Amino acid sequence: MDYNRIFAQAIDRLHAEGRYRVFIDILRNKGAYPNARCFAGHNGPKPITVWCSNDYLAMGQHPKVIAAMEEALHDVGAGSGGTRNIGGNTHYHVDLEAELADLHGKDGALLFTSGYVSNEATLGTLGKILPGCIIFSDELNHASMIAGIRNSGCERRVWRHNDLAHLEELLASEDADTPKLVAFESVYSMDGDVADIAAVCDLADKYNALTYCDEVHAVGMYGARGGGITERDAVADRVTIIEGTLGKAFGVMGGYIAASRDVIDVIRSYAPGFIFTTSLSPVLVAGVLASVRHLKASNEERVAQQAGAAMLKSLFADAHLPVMDTTTHIVPLMVGDPVKAKRISDILLAEYGVYVQPINYPTVPRGTERLRFTPGPAHTPVMMRELTEALVEIWGRMELRKAA
């Protein structure tokens, strides 16, 4: 068996399909986001502008967050000391879980090392705890949710994206006494569309199902205190489990769930992805704690971000660039070809100092490859106009189809 040949062929397939992933070598400039330095293919660092970060509100650069992390570092040191059970249950963790439970109006919350782990561990555990459970999953759910559902060993039913009639059809076809869990996202990060959470909850109530809502692209971003779409639409109390991340709008790292005390205790007690993992560094938790508290009280960042997204969408549309119609902070530009998407990304970086990663399969379906822009509060109107002009030039150079 020629193992190296198999590995090489696997990588060659990705190159042939135009979806080999290249990770850019950059450093962000503290206090100057979205400005950064790129080290790839240059004699020295080249200044660039970042357009695709999930640090949506630039909270990773916020003075309060940085100060809190520095203070924690000098107070307790760098690491957590182990798992929560053995040595890593610092008071920072306890405080942050209380803040997150309060953010979502739940009895409790539980921290994980990432949003991926929180989805995989929670969904995987719920399916094992509930005998004969069937999980109903939106077809565009994140890979971490799909992994958790698979690991649960449950039967699963996939419903067409945001198609409530199809969801009801699937729910109605099952025995009334069968445990059911409906898993979906609030904001879908690649299309930028939003689930009708109230309507999903109506169906869950009708068919006696639990609900699991992934709010990773919405927490911090929506609602009066940053509680997400569930807060904005006043339905948080109707969702059984709300899952979120600490690495996007909150700007640091980690994931969590918020739910009833019993649900939290079950996941805490049974989920291997929680029990056997070294807990988040208290330095990171201190930074998140400062970020969550700030965004509960400040709406300034959310307003500026939404204004920036609206402006960029308008500029793209006016230039007849194929911007996808969204109601959220996500600004996707459709390309429809992985090789061309990568080529556009490369030209933007090399010639214009603009960094945006191409989004290819399996993140999005084949034929829907795109560039995904996430303008933040610090992206200026001048930056947006220069970006639009660069894209118009590249679209013309590559003879790409424009929008009507």
Side-chain angles (χ1 to χ4, degrees):
M1 177 66 69
D2 187 346
Y3 295 108
N4 288 333
R5 179 179 58 83
I6 294 172
F7 297 147
Q9 287 174 342
I11 296 300
D12 288 343
R13 286 196 298 272
L14 295 179
H15 281 293
E17 295 170 12
R19 59 187 186 94
Y20 179 76
R21 296 171 188 248
V22 177
F23 298 159
I24 191 171
D25 183 359
I26 67 170
L27 288 174
R28 297 201 292 176
N29 300 327
K30 190 187 91 166
Y33 180 81
N35 297 310
R37 292 157 280 164
C38 177
F39 292 83
H42 308 292
N43 294 327
K46 171 184 176 179
I48 62 170
T49 303
V50 177
W51 281 98
C52 54
S53 173
N54 284 339
D55 187 359
Y56 293 132
L57 302 179
M59 290 304 296
Q61 303 287 313
H62 198 283
K64 288 183 182 178
V65 174
I66 294 170
M69 295 178 74
E70 289 176 340
E71 181 180 347
L73 178 64
H74 293 292
D75 183 25
V76 301
S80 68
T83 65
R84 293 282 292 276
N85 178 55
I86 293 176
N89 193 47
T90 71
H91 190 63
Y92 289 108
H93 292 81
V94 176
D95 275 353
L96 179 54
E97 285 174 343
E99 287 286 352
L100 293 169
D102 171 76
L103 179 65
H104 297 293
K106 299 296 186 184
D107 294 336
L110 192 66
L111 290 176
F112 294 84
T113 50
S114 73
Y116 190 105
V117 174
S118 57
N119 271 333
E120 185 177 39
T122 303
L123 288 166
T125 301
L126 285 172
K128 290 182 172 71
I129 293 294
L130 297 168
C133 180
I134 299 174
I135 299 181
F136 299 79
S137 175
D138 185 289
E139 68 176 338
L140 292 189
N141 277 343
H142 190 264
S144 58
M145 299 176 74
I146 295 169
I149 294 167
R150 285 176 177 162
N151 290 344
S152 74
C154 287
E155 289 189 44
R156 60 185 182 273
R157 307 285 185 267
V158 178
W159 46 292
R160 290 186 293 271
H161 178 52
N162 279 346
D163 187 335
L164 295 172
H166 189 218
L167 174 59
E168 179 163 24
E169 178 186 328
L170 294 175
L171 286 166
S173 68
E174 303 299 338
D175 189 281
D177 294 328
T178 298
K180 305 174 187 69
L181 173 67
V182 180
F184 61 103
E185 299 182 37
S186 60
V187 173
Y188 288 83
S189 64
M190 292 301 137
D191 289 356
D193 55 346
V194 179
D196 187 342
I197 300 175
V200 172
C201 290
D202 288 342
L203 291 177
D205 291 344
K206 181 177 178 180
Y207 294 98
N208 193 27
L210 302 177
T211 48
Y212 183 100
C213 183
D214 176 318
E215 285 255 57
V216 297
H217 291 278
V219 291
M221 302 293 295
Y222 300 92
R225 301 193 307 157
I229 299 296
T230 50
E231 182 192 18
R232 186 197 72 178
D233 294 354
V235 291
D237 61 313
R238 301 186 62 193
V239 176
T240 312
I241 301 171
I242 295 173
E243 184 268 346
T245 183
L246 308 171
K248 293 184 172 62
F250 293 127
V252 189
M253 181 182 176
Y256 68 92
I257 59 169
S260 70
R261 188 166 287 106
D262 285 345
V263 168
I264 294 298
D265 204 15
V266 163
I267 303 304
R268 182 189 69 87
S269 302
Y270 282 91
F274 173 80
I275 296 170
F276 300 107
T277 300
T278 297
S279 67
L280 285 168
S281 162
V283 176
L284 297 172
V285 179
V288 176
L289 191 57
S291 182
V292 171
R293 286 172 173 167
H294 175 80
L295 289 175
K296 278 184 175 181
S298 172
N299 204 36
E300 178 182 344
E301 292 81 5
R302 285 186 282 274
V303 170
Q305 200 282 332
Q306 290 291 335
M311 180 177 183
L312 191 61
K313 291 175 192 177
S314 178
L315 286 170
F316 283 178
D318 289 346
H320 301 289
L321 293 168
V323 60
M324 297 171 63
D325 185 26
T326 76
T327 59
T328 63
H329 58 284
I330 309 294
V331 185
L333 199 59
M334 182 58 68
V335 179
D337 179 278
V339 175
K340 291 177 181 176
K342 179 65 167 62
R343 178 63 180 148
I344 297 166
S345 173
D346 289 345
I347 294 172
L348 283 169
L349 183 63
E351 299 183 22
Y352 291 95
V354 165
Y355 172 48
V356 59
Q357 274 284 48
I359 307 296
N360 296 327
Y361 176 85
T363 307
V364 295
R366 298 180 192 274
T368 68
E369 293 82 6
R370 67 201 66 178
L371 303 175
R372 175 182 175 272
F373 297 88
T374 54
H379 287 94
T380 67
V382 170
M383 290 176 179
M384 294 187 199
R385 283 191 284 270
E386 289 177 348
L387 170 64
T388 304
E389 291 169 2
L391 287 165
V392 168
E393 187 279 319
I394 295 169
W395 241 252
R397 185 196 313 187
M398 295 181 61
E399 299 181 340
L400 299 172
R401 181 184 300 177
K402 284 194 171 185

